[in-house]
Amino acid sequence: MAFESFGTMRVNEVGHLEIGGVDTLKLAQKYGTPLYVYDVALIKERARGFKKTFEELGVKAQVAYASKAFSTVAIYQLMHEEGLSLDVVSGGELFTAMKADFPAERIHFHGNNKTRQELEMAIDYGIGCVVIDNFYEIELLADVLQEKGARMAVLIRVTPGIEAHTHDYILTGQDDSKFGFGLTNGQAEEAIRRVMANEAFQLIGLHCHIGSQIFETTGFKLAAHRIMEQLVVWRDSLDFHAEVLNLGGGFGVRYTADDQPLPPSEYVRAIIADVREVAQGNALAMPEIWIEPGRSLVGEAGTTLYTIGSRKEVPEIRKFVAVDGGMSDNIRPSLYEAKYDAVIASRPLEEPDETVAIAGKCCESGDMLIWDLPLPKSYAGEVLAVFCTGAYGYSMANNYNRIPRAAVVFVENGEDRLVVQRESYGNLVQLDLPLY
Ligand SMILES: *Cc1c(COP(=O)(O)O)cnc(C)c1O
């Protein structure tokens, strides 16, 4: 095979790319393009894999889907079916969870600037916990809780000062971060004191998230180790006993053949080994371990189908092949220089005979999906399948140039199911108020 396939992806009898037992050309024809296609079996496999690893290790755990990666009613329902918890970071994501009837007690609320209205909504829905990010939020949440005569379980987010090896823009674990309380500069301790002193809070533990698209276990182990050692200190000095240690997400996925992520279970095993070591060495009760995978649950399960349109050849320099989407459905290449791989859906095994640049249709020179893609000579009307677009694609989709957002379809066992409709031109002007 010319490409390494994900999940149930294969080349079918007629030589077309097939996902979940469904021919991708048929999907493109039925639903139009651009189209996000999700391999449901692969999502389930990943969800079960994380859960099983904890079970095998005999560790109490929660696996929370970091839903900013792909937030829709259908995926929330699927994650609920799989017994996962859910991270939300906004009122909009929380509302989506409510629409999906996601059990409130398994929802965790993140974010560095939750508004009063969002916190009220979270309390009213009865969510499981709020991850407190900063001093302002301690005051704000305490105020809202007092007003409502309610209590809330909270985690305190700390930044352990670990730099994960990944793109700078998506680094969140180092000291110079907008997220969380510094572990080493005294802020985390001050936050714990204030939260413990307030009756409205039930402080259940700590949270940290060291970054994204991480391929090594080193960063996770270091972070877990540092926090656990600090927990020993705070047990003795503050009488603080963390029931929960949430170590975030960020487990890497394979966007291209250059990415070599470990199996998700490896990260979990490495983390647990370190936490156990410190716990046992210091007679500290083993905390419940929570993790928050986003892209590793849904990234590789997603494939975007586009229709190829115009072609522009700049002699000696570049061959541009444009598709009917771009930064409107996948802004990551423009934002992070993210890399992707792709094939022509009708003949994925054919040998490439040129290197092309896949351009989007938006009015931005930076609207490129792939800069250097080896591909057989392609023609207008053919379907291009871009791999590993399941995370931060649809969730970052936008209406730049008033391009309607693409539809989303789930495929499994030879069946396809539309889970997000394509936006219509009518939808685009729905909120516009005419002057006359
Ligand atoms: C973004 C984020 C995640 C998920 O990151 P992935 O790279 O998608 O796994 C988990 N936890 C927190 C706090 C995050 O901000």
Side-chain angles (χ1 to χ4, degrees):
M1 258 205 213
F3 66 95
E4 294 178 69
S5 67
F6 296 111
T8 66
M9 195 179 275
R10 66 174 199 123
V11 177
N12 67 12
E13 300 69 31
V14 289
H16 297 173
L17 180 70
E18 177 190 288
I19 306 171
V22 186
D23 190 316
T24 53
L25 289 191
K26 291 200 174 130
L27 290 170
Q29 207 161 41
K30 181 170 175 183
Y31 298 105
T33 57
L35 181 70
Y36 302 96
V37 180
Y38 281 84
D39 179 352
V40 173
L42 181 54
I43 299 173
K44 289 179 177 172
E45 183 189 312
R46 287 292 160 80
R48 289 168 195 180
F50 279 119
K51 290 196 71 175
K52 188 160 151 270
T53 307
F54 283 110
E55 279 156 20
E56 283 170 3
L57 292 166
V59 174
K60 268 190 93 178
Q62 273 194 47
V63 179
Y65 169 50
S67 76
K68 67 180 199 261
F70 172 49
S71 172
T72 59
V73 170
I75 195 73
Y76 286 9
Q77 288 175 328
L78 182 61
M79 294 305 182
H80 170 39
E81 263 174 36
E82 291 301 314
L84 266 55
S85 300
L86 194 71
D87 278 1
V88 298
V89 297
S90 71
E93 287 180 0
L94 179 56
F95 186 76
T96 307
M98 288 158 68
K99 284 285 169 196
D101 277 326
F102 202 95
E105 66 278 6
R106 284 196 283 114
I107 299 177
H108 314 152
F109 200 164
H110 277 278
N112 70 313
N113 190 23
K114 307 172 188 81
T115 65
R116 172 178 284 267
Q117 189 209 7
E118 286 174 327
L119 291 172
E120 284 172 352
M121 192 174 162
I123 295 165
D124 291 344
Y125 194 54
I127 70 159
C129 78
V130 170
V131 183
I132 294 186
D133 195 274
N134 51 70
F135 290 115
Y136 171 77
E137 188 181 345
I138 297 177
E139 303 294 316
L140 182 63
L141 181 56
D143 196 49
V144 181
L145 286 166
Q146 196 183 19
E147 239 174 59
K148 291 186 176 289
R151 288 194 86 210
M152 178 61 79
V154 298
L155 296 179
I156 289 177
R157 177 167 184 167
V158 301
T159 45
I162 306 295
E163 289 204 25
H165 287 263
T166 183
H167 198 291
D168 270 355
Y169 291 115
I170 38 184
L171 247 185
T172 55
Q174 81 278 44
D175 282 324
D176 183 14
S177 160
K178 74 169 183 174
F179 296 109
F181 298 96
L183 194 68
T184 48
N185 62 11
Q187 294 191 328
E189 179 163 327
E190 178 57 24
I192 291 171
R193 283 182 194 278
R194 289 194 203 174
V195 167
M196 283 180 77
N198 194 316
E199 277 297 299
F201 299 121
Q202 183 200 352
L203 178 57
I204 58 172
L206 300 183
H207 169 277
C208 89
H209 172 72
I210 58 167
S212 279
Q213 189 59 354
I214 300 167
F215 295 121
E216 300 154 12
T217 58
T218 327
F220 293 107
K221 287 163 69 76
L222 271 172
H225 210 92
R226 274 209 193 168
I227 296 176
M228 284 298 288
E229 285 182 333
Q230 200 58 53
L231 283 176
V232 174
V233 173
W234 286 330
R235 172 195 62 190
D236 300 334
S237 63
L238 303 177
D239 198 26
F240 168 49
H241 301 267
E243 295 158 41
V244 173
L245 177 54
N246 185 331
L247 289 162
F251 316 113
V253 298
R254 199 187 74 226
Y255 287 105
T256 71
D258 291 340
D259 300 329
Q260 298 290 338
L262 296 169
S265 60
E266 290 305 308
Y267 298 103
V268 172
R269 283 176 201 284
I271 290 168
I272 298 298
D274 255 74
V275 173
R276 273 216 168 109
E277 188 193 310
V278 182
Q280 283 168 0
N282 296 278
L284 192 72
M286 182 73 186
E288 199 172 310
I289 302 296
W290 294 5
I291 57 165
E292 309 173 316
R295 85 188 63 219
S296 55
L297 285 170
V298 295
E300 293 174 2
T303 302
T304 308
L305 305 180
Y306 299 94
T307 301
I308 293 173
S310 67
R311 182 184 180 97
K312 172 186 173 176
E313 298 200 10
V314 185
E316 320 275 301
I317 296 184
R318 205 179 295 282
K319 296 170 179 168
F320 290 95
V321 169
V323 295
D324 55 354
M327 63 188 285
S328 38
D329 58 81
N330 186 358
I331 203 172
R332 296 187 69 259
S334 314
L335 208 53
Y336 309 127
E337 292 168 31
K339 305 280 185 289
Y340 287 92
D341 202 359
V343 296
I344 299 175
S346 59
R347 42 199 178 101
L349 299 183
E350 212 171 290
E351 287 297 318
D353 39 35
E354 58 181 2
T355 295
V356 298
I358 304 297
K361 66 181 266 103
C362 296
C363 294
E364 278 287 328
S365 297
D367 173 31
M368 297 293 297
L369 286 171
I370 304 173
W371 279 100
D372 293 295
L373 177 69
L375 210 63
K377 180 79 199 288
S378 60
Y379 302 93
E382 286 194 296
V383 173
L384 187 79
V386 179
F387 301 126
C388 200
T389 58
Y392 309 102
Y394 179 77
S395 65
M396 288 189 175
N398 59 80
N399 291 126
Y400 182 50
N401 293 154
R402 288 244 145 159
I403 294 170
R405 276 175 301 174
V408 184
V409 65
F410 279 7
V411 290
E412 188 179 24
N413 296 326
E415 304 205 348
D416 51 272
R417 185 182 175 127
L418 188 66
V419 296
V420 181
Q421 291 175 278
R422 182 174 304 283
E423 229 170 3
S424 68
Y425 289 140
N427 291 149
L428 290 176
V429 293
Q430 214 163 24
L431 303 177
D432 290 17
L433 302 174
L435 279 181
Y436 48 86

